[in-house]
Each structure stands twice: as structure tokens, then as C-alpha cells.
Amino acid sequence: VGVAVGSTPSLALLDAPTVGFVSTMRSTRVLRPQPIAAITETRPLRRLSAAATTTRAAHEASSDEKYAWTFEGRFAFAPALVRAPLQSPVDGLGIISLFGWTLGGLVALEYDDSPAGAYYEVVEMGALCAKNGALGQWGRRLCVSTEVAREACVDVWGVPAETVDIAFLDPAGPPSSSGGGLSAARTPGGGFSLAGWAATRLERESSSRRRAETSERGHDHSRRRRLSVPMLWTPEIKALWAPLRLPSWPLFGGEGSLRLHELRLSATALALLRIDWRLGQGTPTAPEDAAGVLPLGFALAADGLRIEIAPSETVL
């Protein structure tokens, strides 16, 4: 294990695994900012501009009063081996690596409902990390598709975020049982394009299956089963942490504290998809991409995604 001085989450599934692939691209849709009202604040926060407030009362509170913000949609996480960074983004954060490599990847999310409206998000995960007994994954770069979302990330949670062009191809078509799965590519200007995104819309198949079970067995299976997974989140460095703390290693402690938010993650359908990852041309901020990423060739997709975030109350 090597140590250098470095999100997004894995969701547990509640329905039987479903795999779908998309063979053709039918449409391209880039989400635009939507007008929104006001975010419910459970503690003093920096004031948002009129553009970075929430869409309607449904966003103002989670089903549990403990969680102030709720995001709903779907996501795909494509893990990859990446070159471990030589420097930690913050003091006291250790990077877990082997022979100079660590676990990173690409997280793509489509939010149907959120405090910043509907938008796309892509996070480039940079490394496995540890601090004071906590194990997590650090996000190197977070990009969103609207300025509304970027303002909310920066002003509310303190997340360094960029607004770039993000296109999810074939976003609304039905999943196909044949085809090439997902295909990710970087576009000019540091944006992203993901083809075959309809394969992540797993809830349709789950709903059809539940209706069939109801018809055959005479039972009501219409209510979606959901299992919650607790996590911790440090927005300033885009890091997600497992909720369990291990004995602290001296190498992974040190000065500095990190603010923690409690997260509750859940989903209703899960699948493993094949992915063709074409992100090797690099960017001005990450020219090492061409030689520093080894994709593992698959992506974990979740539909019926719900991310609930509580205000920060503890530090790591």
C-alpha cells in the first residue's frame, strides 16, 4: 500500500437485478436552467441568487425532517484504476494506492427533482482515501449542466463545481435487451457525452414486473421496495465516506478537520451495464488522463435513486 498526500456512492438495491442495453441513439437532450423558488434552510446559509433556489415545495423537505435536501433520479458509476495523486487535496487526508494506482472512476447522474431543478452531473472520482479511521473516495472534478446547479453547489454546500456541456444521448427511450450498453466520451471544452443512457431507466422494467406479479398472484406489489444506505459526505473535497470507522492509522490522521454531512442513499432498481469509456484525450486541468486511467469495462446503474442530505453537524 502506498500513501500519497486524496463520490459517489454505491447504492444497495432492492429489486431483482435488471440488465438493459441500448443499441441506437434516438435523441439528444441537454437540460436548461429552470425557474425555482426558495430552499428550506435548517441553519444559516449563504444567500442564493434568484436562479439557484428550488422548484417547488416537494423539494423543500425530505420524507424525514432530519434531511434538509432531497435529490431524485438515476445514476451510473463506472469504476476505473487511476494514477494516484502525488499530493493530498487537504492536510491529513491519505491516499490508498498500490504500485501508484488507486480506485477512481466516473459517476454520471440525471436528477429529475432536486433543490436546483432538473440537471445532469458528472463526477470524476480521483482516489480511495482515508482519514482518522474513515474510508472513502475522493472526487477530483465535479461538473454540472446548468448554472443554477453550479450556484447551488458552491453557495449552499461549498462544493467546487464547473458548468460544462453534458449530453446524455437517448435519455428517454425504452431499454433494449441487445446493444452496446453505455458509451462515455469527453467533448470539446471539457464536457461529457454519454450514449445509451436509456439503459439506466430500470424502473420501467421493475414496474412492469410488479404489475405482472400483481395480476398473476392477486397481491398488491405496486409499492416500491427501497433500502436506505447511510453515508457521510465532505462537499468541499467531493468525498464520500463509509459510515463505519476503523482503527485510525497514524499515516491517515494528522492536522485539519473535514466537515461531514449525513447522507441517506436509496434506489429501487439496479443493474450492471457494459461501458465503452473514451475519455483519454485529457483536459487542460487533467492532461494525465490519456495514460492515467484504466477503465474496468462495466458500470453500476441505479434507478429510482434518492439522495437525502442533512446539514453538517460533525467533523472528521
Side-chain angles (χ1 to χ4, degrees):
V1 175
V3 179
V5 180
S7 133
T8 209
S10 244
L11 294 203
L13 173 68
L14 325 180
D15 260 351
T18 319
V19 177
F21 298 112
V22 174
S23 56
T24 60
M25 298 182 293
R26 297 182 180 85
S27 63
T28 302
R29 180 167 61 102
V30 178
L31 299 185
R32 303 298 181 191
Q34 301 179 4
I36 46 188
I39 289 182
T40 297
E41 300 181 0
T42 58
R43 62 186 179 88
L45 294 173
R46 292 170 55 188
R47 182 176 180 83
L48 292 178
S49 68
T53 47
T54 183
T55 52
R56 55 182 183 271
H59 301 314
E60 294 181 353
S62 159
S63 56
D64 188 328
E65 292 182 358
K66 175 181 180 180
Y67 298 95
W69 304 285
T70 301
F71 296 71
E72 294 187 343
R74 61 206 49 81
F75 93 115
F77 169 51
L81 297 178
V82 300
R83 285 290 185 186
L86 299 179
Q87 281 190 313
S88 171
V90 296
D91 291 339
L93 187 70
I95 299 298
I96 300 176
S97 65
L98 181 64
F99 302 118
W101 293 85
T102 184
L103 182 65
L106 191 76
V107 181
L109 304 104
E110 178 184 18
Y111 294 121
D112 300 323
D113 284 317
S114 83
Y119 68 97
Y120 296 144
E121 180 177 314
V122 175
V123 186
E124 294 182 85
M125 305 307 294
L128 287 179
C129 57
K131 182 176 174 61
N132 294 332
L135 179 65
Q137 193 174 29
W138 161 65
R140 179 168 62 88
R141 183 178 180 230
L142 186 147
C143 301
V144 294
S145 60
T146 71
E147 184 63 16
V148 173
R150 190 200 66 80
E151 288 184 13
C153 286
V154 173
D155 292 342
V156 179
W157 300 288
V159 181
E162 307 171 41
T163 304
V164 301
D165 290 332
I166 301 175
F168 289 181
L169 306 177
D170 203 6
S176 172
S177 59
S178 63
L182 300 174
S183 178
R186 187 169 279 124
T187 57
F192 297 91
S193 172
L194 280 87
W197 187 249
T200 65
R201 293 185 175 273
L202 309 167
E203 184 59 25
R204 294 183 183 180
E205 289 192 6
S206 300
S207 298
S208 299
R209 185 168 58 253
R210 283 194 299 272
R211 287 194 295 269
E213 290 175 351
T214 300
S215 176
E216 293 176 4
R217 302 178 185 178
H219 299 298
D220 182 9
H221 292 273
S222 60
R223 186 173 180 178
R224 297 184 298 178
R225 292 172 291 171
R226 182 180 292 276
L227 177 65
S228 296
V229 178
M231 298 288 289
L232 297 172
W233 180 44
T234 302
E236 292 84 355
I237 62 169
K238 306 172 289 294
L240 281 170
W241 304 93
L244 299 179
R245 299 281 289 272
L246 303 173
S248 181
W249 296 0
L251 291 174
F252 298 147
E255 299 295 329
S257 60
L258 299 176
R259 187 163 57 100
L260 294 176
H261 291 260
E262 288 189 42
L263 263 66
R264 184 164 63 184
L265 309 179
S266 60
T268 57
L270 191 73
L272 286 178
L273 307 175
R274 292 187 290 117
I275 183 168
D276 180 19
W277 187 333
R278 300 175 183 271
L279 303 180
Q281 65 268 42
T283 67
T285 58
E288 73 282 3
D289 279 1
V293 177
L294 295 176
L296 300 184
F298 70 90
L300 173 66
D303 199 5
L305 173 69
R306 180 179 296 160
I307 304 174
E308 298 167 286
I309 307 175
S312 174
E313 296 181 351
T314 59
V315 296
L316 179 62

